[in-house]
Every structure is written in C-alpha cells, then in structure tokens.
Amino acid sequence: MWRCPLCTSPIDITHQPVKCENNHSFDKAKSGYVNLLPVQFKKSKQPGDDKAMVLARREFHEAGGYLPLMEAMVDVLDNEIPKGNSHPIQLYDAGCGEGAYLSYCYDALAKLGYEINASGSDISKVAVDLAAKKSSR
C-alpha cells in the first residue's frame, strides 16, 4: 500500500528502518509513525496543524462532539463489508489527524468481529504522533 515518496517503489513500513528497493530510508518514531514527507518537499518548517489545534481537536473528540458521525461511519462500513468475508478489512484514513475516527472505527468494527488492518496518514507530525500513540495496533 505504501510507496517511496522519492522513487515510488513499494515500501514495507513494518521494518526499521523503512526502506524501498532503491535504499531510500525513513526512520520510524518511537510512537510508531513514519514520516514520509522528505524535507525538500516541505513548504513550511512544520506543515499541518500545530500542537494547540491538534490537542483542541482531540479534546473535542474525546468529549463526544462527533460521536453520532463516528457511529454512522461504523454503520456504513458494517453494511458495506461483504458478509462472510474471511480477509482482514483494510482501513485507511487519509488526513487522519490525531486518529479519533480511525481509532473509533477500528474498535467498533473489532467489537463486531471483524479482523482489521488500519493505517492513517497526516501531514502534521504532531497529529500523526498522537494518532500513533493512541493506537499501537
């Protein structure tokens, strides 16, 4: 699923360090995320939302601000997954922020008996670090 941002070769993010076949290497943070945004492609020193915005969003989500939306997302996913599916469900959240939606969907679908492989990406290092810390799966 993942490709090297420098040469587009496939990469496996389960190894440390993460490398492509052309030996482009990316370090995995202690919290588990991998930064695939090369410094030469950054348009600012810290792209994406800052720490205050990410923490405010996390607080809002933890207070249940969008709980009805998250529940509806799980209902849609549950209805769209073919019944009797024996393969793990692949969930990907582009722009995952601090991980609230992906984590909620993962937990709810797991409770329904699905085997889940989940991953997300975000341009904000602060956000994706919080997402990785929230869910070490």
Side-chain angles (χ1 to χ4, degrees), residues 56-133:
R57 189 174 301 119
R58 166 144 303 165
E59 185 178 323
F60 180 78
H61 287 305
E62 287 178 348
Y66 283 136
L67 185 58
L69 173 62
M70 292 177 180
E71 291 169 340
M73 289 170 58
V74 171
D75 288 343
V76 167
L77 291 167
D78 184 33
N79 289 328
E80 291 297 321
I81 297 169
K83 301 306 173 215
N85 178 46
S86 61
H87 301 290
I89 304 305
Q90 305 296 323
L91 283 182
Y92 171 67
D93 187 355
C96 67
E98 39 67 57
Y101 297 96
L102 186 59
S103 180
Y104 185 88
C105 289
Y106 179 97
D107 292 342
L109 290 172
K111 284 180 187 173
L112 292 173
Y114 294 104
E115 184 180 344
I116 312 290
N117 289 330
S119 56
S121 63
D122 200 281
I123 197 165
S124 169
K125 237 180 175 179
V126 172
V128 80
D129 184 53
L130 279 175
K133 286 176 181 173

Side-chain angles (χ1 to χ4, degrees), residues 2 16 21 84 87 94-95 113-114:
W2 299 101
Q16 171 68 341
E21 63 190 31
H87 301 290
Y114 294 104

